[in-house]
Amino acid sequence: MSLEEIQDVRTPDSEPPAAPGNRGGSWAAVRPLLLRMHFYAGLLIAPLLFLAAATGLLYAASWQAEKIVYADELTVARVGDAALPLSAQVEAAKGAAPTGKVVSVWPGPDAEATTRVIMESSGLAEGETLTVFVDPYTAEVRGQLTTVGDALPLRAWLSTFHADLQLGEFGRNYSELAASWMWVVALGGLALWTGRRRKRASQLVLPDRGATGRRRTLSWHGVVGLWSVAGLVVLSATGLTWSKYAGENIGQLQDSLGGATPAVSAKLKPGGEAGGADEHAGHTMPEGTEMPPPATTADVGLDRAVAAARDAGVTESIRVTLPAKGKGYVIKENDKQVPVHFDTVAVDPADARVMDELRFADYPVLAKMTRFGIDLHMGQTFGLANQIVLAALAVGVMFLVFWGYRMWWLRRPTKDRTLSVGRAQPRGAWRKLPVTVVLPLAAVTVLVGWFIPLLGISLAAFLVVDLLLGLVARRRAAGAGATAA
């Protein structure tokens, strides 16, 4: 073992100092604190990050696996000359599942795809529906599956596994903790890696092939982290939008900024009128009197409603929600690949008039960003390419965790044979910070901890435990000093 490797193993912080231009500035003061936080966050949160990455890798692969596993249900036996009316396809689905109640119909997005007839059915869990797959050319029922949204059983199970490890509400804490800390660990690691002094500029973006021991592991850890950081921050931010605690705060903030996702109004007017003035406007209803329900009207049928929507420009990957009590048809696009198509119309079942329409171009900017972010996280925006990038990020995170633990192991003391591991950056780094840095840093930490509660709670727990360990260490040192005296 070379002298450099021996020093690399035995020193608590074997990373070289920052570039000379940074010495004496705020970075030199902040760096030890950042090192300590990155060490503990990586050490304690890394298992959750590894789990999130492993389950995310499975989910990213599920899109393609779904096409193979459920090929019979998803595709037709032979492409015909013309599709049958949707109403005929729905009747075929009803015949295959007579106890189900049809709530929506999803025509196939391409010539080889089957039509999905979505039903509510007894015996299903909350959020589940029964989907009957119908050949649009022959009305042959290709199969039935229990689905969650657009996810077939395999992807639905993997989605829940990624979100909560199949542990229910309690399990969601794991994914929220992982998402809460991922951006902190990623950005902290980026700052540490770019702030290092290096012999060649290429070592910033490429692994140092001449390095050995811990320096080689650190080189791979830093370079892969650098190339992954943008994707990890996006995954962290978008993952938090689904979380229980931070997600609620994000939703409230988005609503307050006028970025809530809009929706069409499919409500029918009293008396069956779909548009125009409300006949009750300007009149005061007696207290306790309910608005009369819409009168029963004739239904022009599924096919005419879809034709009206297509005439209004709603044509790509459409999904039709059938009329419920007091509401009309809602027909929306669901093409999530770039360029996206999300236009929606509400159609009056009495005469196929378009009652309301909503264009994706008219969405608030924040609503558009949320839509794009969610679909990127799920691997839909760019299709297969998106899923490959997600898989690469997941594999990268798993290697980053492995390399992080390996560096911890390589920094262990080697003079004795007792089982030991690497030491963290010494305590007290924050006391060396100037007040002009401490106060803003504390304020930002409190604000972020409040907005992302599991991050704040876990960070507070880390600080309490670290404080207690420090007190124990000082008492032991004082006791050893008294004994020696």
Side-chain angles (χ1 to χ4, degrees):
M1 180 179 286
S2 67
L3 176 61
E4 181 183 42
E5 288 179 295
I6 293 173
Q7 292 172 339
D8 218 16
V9 167
R10 294 186 179 180
T11 54
D13 177 19
S14 58
E15 297 183 16
N22 290 334
R23 290 178 180 174
S26 298
W27 170 244
V30 170
R31 184 174 178 273
L33 181 63
L34 191 58
L35 273 169
R36 187 168 178 81
M37 184 201 69
H38 190 73
F39 173 82
Y40 274 117
L43 181 66
L44 300 174
I45 300 298
L48 301 182
L49 295 177
F50 190 94
L51 273 175
T55 57
L57 175 62
L58 293 174
Y59 182 78
S62 70
W63 292 94
Q64 302 307 316
E66 194 174 61
K67 295 177 182 179
I68 298 172
V69 175
Y70 304 109
D72 289 343
E73 289 84 359
L74 293 173
T75 56
V76 300
R78 184 179 66 84
V79 176
D81 296 329
L84 296 172
L86 283 175
S87 55
Q89 299 177 50
V90 170
E91 288 303 316
K94 288 180 178 179
T99 61
K101 176 186 176 183
V102 179
V103 292
S104 61
V105 181
W106 302 355
D110 55 63
E112 297 180 347
T114 53
T115 296
R116 300 191 191 189
V117 180
I118 317 298
M119 300 182 176
E120 294 177 346
S121 183
S122 60
L124 298 179
E126 183 180 358
E128 292 182 341
T129 53
L130 174 66
T131 298
V132 180
F133 299 83
V134 181
D135 187 323
Y137 306 105
T138 64
E140 174 195 359
V141 172
R142 301 281 292 170
Q144 304 178 32
L145 293 171
T146 299
T147 54
V148 179
D150 64 357
L152 304 187
L154 174 62
R155 182 157 58 88
W157 192 91
L158 289 174
S159 176
T160 304
F161 188 48
H162 177 57
D164 61 20
L165 301 178
Q166 296 290 341
L167 297 176
E169 284 298 313
F170 174 77
R172 290 182 63 186
N173 293 322
Y174 115 84
S175 57
E176 184 164 355
L177 266 172
S180 298
W181 277 97
M182 183 180 286
W183 68 275
V184 178
V185 175
L187 293 180
L190 176 66
L192 291 171
W193 182 244
T194 56
R196 286 171 56 85
R197 182 172 58 190
R198 44 184 54 86
K199 296 178 182 179
R200 297 184 301 276
S202 63
Q203 293 176 353
L204 175 67
V205 295
L206 295 173
D208 184 1
R209 299 194 176 190
T212 58
R214 181 181 177 276
R215 289 187 185 278
R216 179 174 60 188
T217 304
L218 175 62
S219 177
W220 278 98
H221 183 85
V223 169
V224 172
L226 174 71
W227 285 102
S228 304
V229 65
L232 297 182
V233 170
V234 170
L235 287 178
S236 177
T238 52
L240 285 174
T241 62
W242 282 303
S243 63
K244 182 176 181 180
Y245 304 106
E248 183 177 344
N249 289 336
I250 291 172
Q252 292 176 353
L253 177 62
Q254 184 176 342
D255 291 348
S256 66
L257 295 175
T261 300
V264 296
S265 173
K267 187 176 181 180
L268 299 174
K269 299 296 182 179
E273 294 294 330
D278 186 341
E279 65 182 78
H280 295 279
H283 297 273
T284 302
M285 300 291 291
E287 186 175 353
T289 303
E290 296 183 359
M291 185 74 73
T296 303
T297 60
D299 190 339
V300 297
L302 178 61
D303 296 290
R304 279 193 61 187
V306 170
R310 293 189 185 278
D311 290 342
V314 178
T315 60
E316 303 295 328
S317 298
I318 65 171
R319 296 184 175 184
V320 184
T321 300
L322 300 188
K325 183 178 180 180
K327 294 185 177 180
Y329 288 93
V330 175
I331 304 171
K332 64 180 181 180
E333 294 176 321
N334 195 57
D335 181 9
K336 297 180 179 179
Q337 295 195 36
V338 175
V340 301
H341 299 91
F342 283 113
D343 294 347
T344 308
V345 295
V347 176
D348 189 346
D351 53 15
R353 282 191 300 161
V354 173
M355 299 187 293
D356 191 18
E357 61 181 50
L358 174 63
R359 306 296 172 181
F360 185 66
D362 298 327
Y363 275 37
V365 173
L366 285 178
K368 289 180 180 178
M369 291 176 62
T370 300
R371 180 74 267 167
F372 283 128
I374 289 174
D375 294 335
L376 277 171
H377 191 112
M378 296 182 68
Q380 294 181 280
T381 302
F382 299 106
L384 179 59
N386 198 163
Q387 294 149 24
I388 291 173
V389 170
L390 289 178
L393 285 171
V395 172
V397 169
M398 289 189 283
F399 271 106
L400 288 170
V401 170
F402 169 75
W403 288 323
Y405 277 115
R406 177 171 170 75
M407 286 189 291
W408 182 44
W409 172 253
L410 290 176
R411 277 176 49 185
R412 72 194 188 282
T414 57
K415 286 186 177 181
D416 54 45
R417 295 183 179 274
T418 58
L419 183 63
S420 57
V421 290
R423 298 183 296 275
Q425 178 74 16
R427 293 183 178 88
W430 66 272
R431 290 194 293 268
K432 299 177 183 179
L433 294 176
V435 176
T436 53
V437 174
V438 171
L439 293 180
L441 183 61
V444 170
T445 301
V446 171
L447 179 62
V448 172
W450 169 81
F451 192 75
I452 309 177
L454 289 191
L455 173 63
I457 293 171
S458 56
L459 178 58
F462 291 169
L463 295 176
V464 170
V465 171
D466 194 43
L467 178 62
L468 293 176
L469 291 176
L471 291 174
V472 171
R474 283 196 292 272
R475 287 188 178 182
R476 287 180 177 176
T483 302

